[in-house]
Amino acid sequence: MTLHTRSLAALALGLTAREFSSVELTQHFLDRIAASNGALNAFLTVTAERALSDAKRADALLAKNQGGALTGIPIAHKDIFCTDGIQTTCASKMLKGFVAPYDAAVVERLTAAGTVLLGKTNMDEFAMGSSNETSHFGPVKNPWDLAKVPGGSSGGSAAVVAARLAPAATGTDTGGSIRQPAALTGISGIKPTYGRVSRYGMIAFASSLDQAGIMAASAEDCAALLAPMAGFDARDSTSVERAVPDYVAGLQQSLKGLKIGILKEFFAEGLEAHTGARVQAAIEEYRRLGAEIVEVSCPNLPLSVPTYYVVAPAEASSNLSRFDGVRFGYRCENPRDLLDLYKRSRGEGFGSEVKRRIMTGTYVLSAGYYDAYYLKAQKVRSLITDDFKRAFSQVDVLLGPTAPGPAFAIGDKVDDPVTMYLNDIYTIGANLAGLPAMSIPCGFVNELPVGLQLIGPHFSESQLLAVAHGYQQVTDFHSRVPAAYA
Amino acid sequence: MSEFITPAGWEVVIGLEIHAQLATRSKIFSGSATAYGAMPNTQASLVDLGYPGTLPVLNQEAVRMAVKFGLATGSRVADRSVFARKNYFYPDLPKGYQISQYEKPIVEKGSIDVLQEDGITKRVGITRAHLEEDAGKSMHEGLENASGIDLNRAGTPLLEIVSEPDMRSAREAVAYLKKIHTLVRYLEICDGNMQEGSFRCDANVSVRRIGAERLGTRCEIKNVNSFRYVEKAIHYEVIRQIDVLESGGKIIQETRLYDAAKDETRSMRSKEEANDYRYFPDPDLLPVVLDEAFITSVRATLPELPDEKAARFMASYGLSAYDAALLTASRDVAAFYEAVVAAAKPDAGLAKLAANWVMGDFSAFLNRDGLELSAAKVSTSGLAGLLDRLSDQTISGKIAKEVFELMWAEGLSADAVIEAKGWRQITDTRAIEAAIDAVIAANPEQLADYRSGKDKLFGFFVGQAMKATQGKANPAQLNELLKSKLASH
Amino acid sequence: MSLTRKDVEGIAHLARLQMTEAELAAYPESLSKILTLVDQLNAVPTGVIEPMAHPLEGEIQRLRPDGVTETDAHRKYQANAPQVASGLYVVPRVIE
């Protein structure tokens, strides 16, 4: 058995049993990255030196039997998390060469847990995109078909895990940015409840929607990494003070008698037929596992895309105002005056999708439009949240597709933002309501993976992971690797 | 000061926006120090610099201070207030937005009573007071066509206190401003230092013809950093607006800068462009929810307020409203005064005497030497010692001033000065009579003139007799004895 | 809702974004499409509905004790700055 297809638990076992060292494991992944990253463009920065020194430190701990479950496990971070001393770009020209003087909470915690940093992954610029085509550093390719997108915005992390260039990678999810790329690359990804994982050091896109999560081959691997990431952080006012359950132990919860809700709205027009069929098959699998399947409705859910495209750009337009060419980031050449400095630094530093969203957000907040757009969207957000609340009074978990179809071709949707935005139609609701949600692979259409989405009530990560794990105990979609990377 | 009289037929309407820097140790949303005068950007943390990924966390003390102000002004303290983002680009504003409170401020609908110089008390409404973060500073010296940005001040907590447009003259506006200044220092929520910018004021000024119902178009005057300048700036602006209107012009709503050197206001072109601040609730901060227990705990820390103290001074010390208001304008001065009264020997006129001394020579000496009260050269017990010697007539009021000067200069007690200088007042009737007799004997001509009706010569005799006693004779006794001697001879 | 080129120029100014000729030509259409998508919200009755600013109801702002926890690190922080002089961030002259 090759190292890169083992589960995290198996890797940890191998490390503690001295079957291989962390340095060997790390080198194995660095070699795979060296061989494949050129074609995939999934890593923006490979931190080979740092990785090997992290690994050495881990080996020293392991030698003294002081290692934990993640000591010596290599991972990658999405390039949206600030890393002290290592470039953090958000895949933008604006932050090319930017070296954060501090570590994000997520980085800090996973480093403290003993993980080894392989590098920083490519993404849509400032996490704005669903295909990874908005990256200033070029699109990421889908390991299942290099002509296809890996999804976005955490497309680099998804491709890295799908091609087994790292056992796991962090991601962020504002409107589906973990789940949709996980679905399109055939891996597992979890977006926790809003407030579960600290946002400190994660470059903000839309503050009331952003949440960090983890992407890995299986739900079991996600559980192992989510545990140290989650928990209260006094530096983030929206972080929730609440105990973190043992997610790994929680995987064993039985699915017998579990009430699964099938969201009517997720199976309406727009869902590609074969994708729908794979999802239906997964539902049947759950029925066999002893779950009760109930149809439920969230009538306002179809409004989530328009709601999101008011709320997210509004917050983004404000969050991205700090990039002004003064204290950090890109500054234009020879500004004539202050206004010129602002306009050209921002105009030249941001890519066109980022600018489009800043423009949208600026417009919906501007005088005379605030009530009609922003306030209205905040009210509809309440309606959508109430719909979910009602649904969860009837069922334990909601189930549906993650994306309307499998990965699409690079270049296919770049010219029409609205068509691109509709790719997030099933994922956005969970962000608006702050709910935890997962995507796990549930089959293939035309040799491209299809994702199954699970959404739970607030702070039900443990149950979501167990529901996903139960399925993965009786299926093997999650362990399939594209032939070229097997 | 006749120059500040409003031209006939016009009414002036003024509202003030006061920015009081709250006296917290750390900033409102970060753990950086707020101390004034540090080297540039050495007190600007990642949060203050708006570094990507950083987030604000609210300082509890800033909230307590805002609540304190609300309770002291009889305002409604909101059980739920919300921080919003005010979006605009400016180099001293690192995030491109200021975190402030917009729709739901922490303090609303209060008032404060202001005693005017004419003795009439005026109630000024406080529309709201909200928490926000201060911006940094732009420096222009030593840089060619460039400015340097220092973000040490960025993130310092501010309480913005917005009044109703209740003031009708520059005088009233300054009286209100002084009252708020007194209050924030009483509450120990702001050091009130106007030079360092800890207490700043913007004035919204408009004029209208007397009897007009609608308010005139207002201008906002920024950058006024002393009470005197506030008065001058408003006055200038009032005259300017009336001139414009009387010559058929229209007032443009704009922000104007007061230039103290030229004593004029001028339009701030940089801020002229229509602002669209795109306020929305800050998603990085949650609603500030204050329960009854929190508010009660803040209420327990309220000191005796200026108005309460002034009322007590009138009742217990028999002071006039004016004296009481003056003495209580500063909590330290009021405490000093009370300590002097407590240390001195009880006497019928003591409270008034002490008030006159504290507000008179004592304050004058502090001002002359530019000293804070805490650095005064005469202590409360020292001043009480001097008052004792006045009460028991050891010295006269005139001598007392000289004694005080020496006490201040040499750091001696009143008794030590009186002893060393031999200034003990002569109250021995026989000694005074002897001096008077000698003077009368030596001046027969003047005596004759006096007796023939030249009453004015009485002063001559007083002067001579005082001279003979080296100024130490008790003046009242001397007067009385002299009168009877001049008559009886 | 459809936006004109002039609208786009106005918004771009408010957002301090320099637009290329190509962007000015393309944005009116793409932004109008987005606004048309968003206009669906107008049909939703939301009379008494409370606007939702945060996904977690009932969570309230935590208050931090007033203590100085930061020390001077301006050299490190200014390593990312395009231009500094004497510890100050340098920008074209600010005119007041």
Side-chain angles (χ1 to χ4, degrees), chain B residues 120-191:
Chain B
I120 295 167
T121 295
K122 172 158 190 156
R123 175 158 292 189
V124 176
I126 289 168
T127 314
R128 57 186 279 156
H130 66 252
L131 284 165
E132 63 183 25
E133 55 180 344
D134 208 343
K137 284 180 185 167
S138 307
M139 322 277 190
H140 313 296
E141 284 142 41
L143 290 160
E144 187 110 358
N145 285 324
S147 297
I149 310 298
D150 174 12
L151 296 170
N152 280 348
R153 195 179 70 174
T156 299
L158 289 177
L159 187 67
E160 180 174 333
I161 304 158
V162 182
S163 82
E164 290 289 308
D166 284 348
M167 277 77 71
R168 291 292 173 271
S169 70
R171 276 289 169 80
E172 281 186 16
V174 171
Y176 162 77
L177 186 63
K178 282 185 172 166
K179 188 62 184 281
I180 295 286
H181 189 251
T182 292
L183 182 64
V184 295
R185 283 175 309 140
Y186 256 71
L187 298 173
E188 294 175 327
I189 62 174
C190 173
D191 67 17

Side-chain angles (χ1 to χ4, degrees), chain B residues 391-414:
Chain B
S391 301
D392 68 11
Q393 306 202 338
T394 303
I395 52 171
S396 67
K398 190 161 173 269
I399 292 286
K401 286 179 182 290
E402 290 181 44
V403 173
F404 182 75
E405 191 159 352
L406 285 165
M407 288 169 73
W408 189 276
E410 314 284 343
L412 299 168
S413 71

Side-chain angles (χ1 to χ4, degrees), chain B residues 399-437:
Chain B
I399 292 286
K401 286 179 182 290
E402 290 181 44
V403 173
F404 182 75
E405 191 159 352
L406 285 165
M407 288 169 73
W408 189 276
E410 314 284 343
L412 299 168
S413 71
D415 285 341
V417 173
I418 292 165
E419 220 40 63
K421 291 283 177 183
W423 281 346
R424 186 170 289 276
Q425 187 165 258
I426 299 167
T427 51
D428 176 354
T429 308
R430 266 193 273 168
I432 298 172
E433 277 179 339
I436 292 172
D437 289 342

Side-chain angles (χ1 to χ4, degrees), chain B residues 26-27 41 51 58 60 149, chain C residues 64 66 69 77 87 89 94:
Chain B
S26 64
K27 294 188 177 173
N41 291 308
Y51 247 84
L58 183 58
Q60 168 170 293
I149 310 298
Chain C
R64 171 179 64 82
D66 179 26
T69 53
Y77 299 163
Y89 293 94
V94 178

Side-chain angles (χ1 to χ4, degrees), chain A residues 319-479:
Chain A
N319 282 334
L320 269 58
S321 291
R322 69 192 63 209
F323 300 103
D324 58 4
V326 177
R327 296 162 313 285
F328 40 73
Y330 177 79
R331 173 183 281 204
C332 68
E333 301 264 347
N334 306 316
R336 281 192 311 279
D337 54 27
L338 191 59
L339 186 63
D340 189 46
L341 167 77
Y342 283 151
K343 286 191 163 182
R344 281 203 290 126
S345 297
R346 291 167 57 76
E348 295 163 15
F350 291 133
S352 72
E353 181 58 25
V354 171
K355 278 187 270 190
R356 186 171 8 252
R357 303 219 191 173
I358 293 175
M359 297 279 285
T360 308
T362 302
Y363 183 74
V364 298
L365 288 174
S366 65
Y369 298 102
Y370 179 86
D371 286 5
Y373 289 112
Y374 190 75
L375 203 64
K376 185 80 181 180
Q378 297 282 55
K379 289 180 173 183
V380 177
R381 191 175 178 183
S382 284
L383 291 176
I384 293 169
T385 304
D386 288 346
D387 278 1
F388 276 116
K389 229 179 276 172
R390 258 191 307 277
F392 287 122
S393 69
Q394 298 165 257
V395 299
D396 300 311
V397 60
L398 292 168
L399 211 144
T402 306
F408 47 91
I410 292 175
D412 240 18
K413 298 186 180 180
V414 279
D415 294 331
D416 184 359
V418 170
T419 311
M420 184 71 93
Y421 295 173
L422 289 172
N423 214 257
D424 297 334
I425 190 159
Y426 306 131
T427 47
I428 281 173
N431 298 85
L432 291 171
L435 302 168
M438 274 198 88
S439 178
I440 55 171
C442 69
F444 290 82
V445 170
N446 300 330
E447 292 169 42
L448 290 169
V450 170
L452 174 73
Q453 187 179 205
L454 299 84
I455 307 173
H458 289 145
F459 299 102
S460 66
E461 288 83 0
S462 187
Q463 184 178 57
L464 273 190
L465 288 161
V467 173
H469 182 67
Y471 178 78
Q472 291 182 337
Q473 293 304 99
V474 295
T475 57
D476 73 342
F477 302 117
H478 63 286
S479 41

